[in-house]
Each structure stands twice: as C-alpha cells, then as structure tokens.
Amino acid sequence: MSWLDRLRGGFAKTADRVAENLTGLTSRAALDTATLDDIEEALIASDLGPEASHRIREAIARQKFERLDERGLRSILADEIEKILTPVAKPLQVWGFPRPHVILVIGVNGSGKTTTIGKLAHWLKEQDYGVLLAAGDTFRAAAIEQLKIWGDRIGAPVITGKEGGDAAGIVFDGVKQATATGIDVLVVDTAGRLQNKSHLMEELSKIRRVLGRLNPEAPHDILLVLDATTGQNALAQVEVFRESAGVTGLIMTKLDGTARGGVLVAAAEKFGLPIHAIGVGETADDLRPFDPRAVARAIAGLPPE
C-alpha cells in the first residue's frame, strides 16, 4: 500500500465525518446564511477549528451558484483547505555551518517522538547526510533503548548516557563527536514532561546554553512532534511548547489511522508554523514531506491526482 493510500485511509474517518456533518446541506435550493452557518459548524465538528472553518465558510459564500452538489462542495473544501496548508508546507533544510546542523525534537510522551526521530534520521541519510542521534530524553530508560534500536536499524550512531543523567552533557558530547567525525546533522531527543513545565523549560534552556557556547546559531531547528489522534489537544501542546521551547516547525504523526486529522488544518490556520513532514506508518520510510494538496484532497474525501 502506497503512502497516499495510507494517508487517504487515515483521513477516511475525517472525510466521512465531514460528509456526515454536511448531509442534507447540498440538497437545499440555495446556500443562504443558515446553510453557510451549518457548513461552518460541520467543519468545526470535524476538528478543522473555528478560524479555518470560518475562513472556508466565507470562501464558499463568495462563490456564485444557486445549487451545489456534494462533489462540488468537496472540491471547494479541498481548494480552500489547500490554500490554508500551502503557506506552511516547507521542506526541512540542512543549512547550519559550521557542521553539525542541530535539530532538537520535542513532544509529549506517546506522541511518536522517538520513532519520528528514527524516521527523520533515515530520511536525512537517504539524502546523503551524515547523521548522529543523541538520546537526550534521559527521564525514560525506554526512550534511550528505543533510540538505540532505531540507530541500529538505520545505521546511525547514537550518543547515550545514564537514565536520569544530564541531557545537556549528552548534547555537548554529541556536538563534539559530530564535529570531530564530520557529521552533518545531530538530531537530539528531548524529554516531554508537560506536567512539569518549569523543569522542561530549565532543561531546554540549559541545552540551549551549552549549544550556544559551541555554535551560537544552534539549535538550528526545534521540531514539535504532534499526535494527530489527540485532536484539539494537539493545539494546546503547540501553545505550551511554543512558549517554553521556541518551536520552529511541526511534524504531524499517526495520520494513517486517525479520525482527528482535521486538527492539522486548525494548527496551520492558528499558528502558521512550518509543517515539515507527516507520519503515515511505522516503518523507516513512512515519514513523508508535507504535501498540502494531497492532504487537502484526503480531508475532503477526494481521490489523489
């Protein structure tokens, strides 16, 4: 099954939910104010969020027609969703000099953060970049072991320390080793304990200070991994991590099996942060560059082009 098929499968419930919420609306003689209000409410109920839903409603209101069939409405939805997503679809660039380019990866436990790091490292290696992983989530022994497994799987070395150890020290060792061995990219796993935000901020601040002494431009990227199945809770995570960690971009995971994928549109409209990639499966090849047109058509229930 191709990644597009998995993406469509993941968004099938979202598309069905949109269709269910819109049932009966396209049979009305005209799209009057009441009908447009119902469309907006249907989109909000499908996790697209109030800002994006209102924007789409206004776009539909500007259309000139007396009657609209289901296919026509889906096409308009896809076009308007694509307009929201296109500005935030930005490839991840490896630009940092002197090397290494440092990427901090953050996210709550269970979001797929460590798995995403493994996929991201594989993606970078496929582009002929040398990659080193650093197990900076020292709070969980399972995270350290999981990252080591991914390192073995994709052929990337991993810097580790003891459970409960100093994450900043591991990052320091990672930069030193990457510099000495000519590694292009250092990808750092970090702890994601939102229940203790002050500790999270202190730890990230310490990592930043250590990196700053080695390279004032590092970290070059701070990527937040979001689990699409959490729906609107993902937006709250963006708020917290943007405030505490200075997020520069997003990766949305678990889009191959979620009924809550519409939140991706809500995040794009609300925050405007770059979306670099999406996760559509569990294998190393299942991290894909973010394609706004493919995602928009999947949400609207239209086949890929």
Side-chain angles (χ1 to χ4, degrees), residues 106 204 208 219 221-223 238 240-249 273:
I106 61 180
L204 289 172
R208 282 172 172 273
D221 290 289
I222 303 174
L223 305 184
V238 179
V240 172
F241 279 109
R242 189 174 63 164
E243 172 192 340
S244 61
V247 174
T248 62
L273 286 167

Side-chain angles (χ1 to χ4, degrees), residues 107-113 137 139-140 143 190-195 241:
V108 299
N109 296 336
S111 65
K113 175 169 56 73
D137 185 357
F139 186 71
R140 295 186 304 129
T190 65
R193 303 183 299 281
L194 282 186
Q195 67 271 25
F241 279 109

Side-chain angles (χ1 to χ4, degrees), residues 10 20 36 58 93 102 104 116 139-140 154 193 200 224 286 296 301:
E20 179 184 349
L36 291 166
E58 294 301 298
Q93 304 284 347
V102 181
L104 297 187
T116 297
F139 186 71
R140 295 186 304 129
I154 65 175
R193 303 183 299 281
L200 173 68
L224 173 59
D286 288 331

Side-chain angles (χ1 to χ4, degrees), residues 123-130 184:
W123 184 9
L124 292 168
K125 283 175 63 66
E126 289 288 292
Q127 299 176 61
D128 293 326
Y129 291 114
D184 297 297

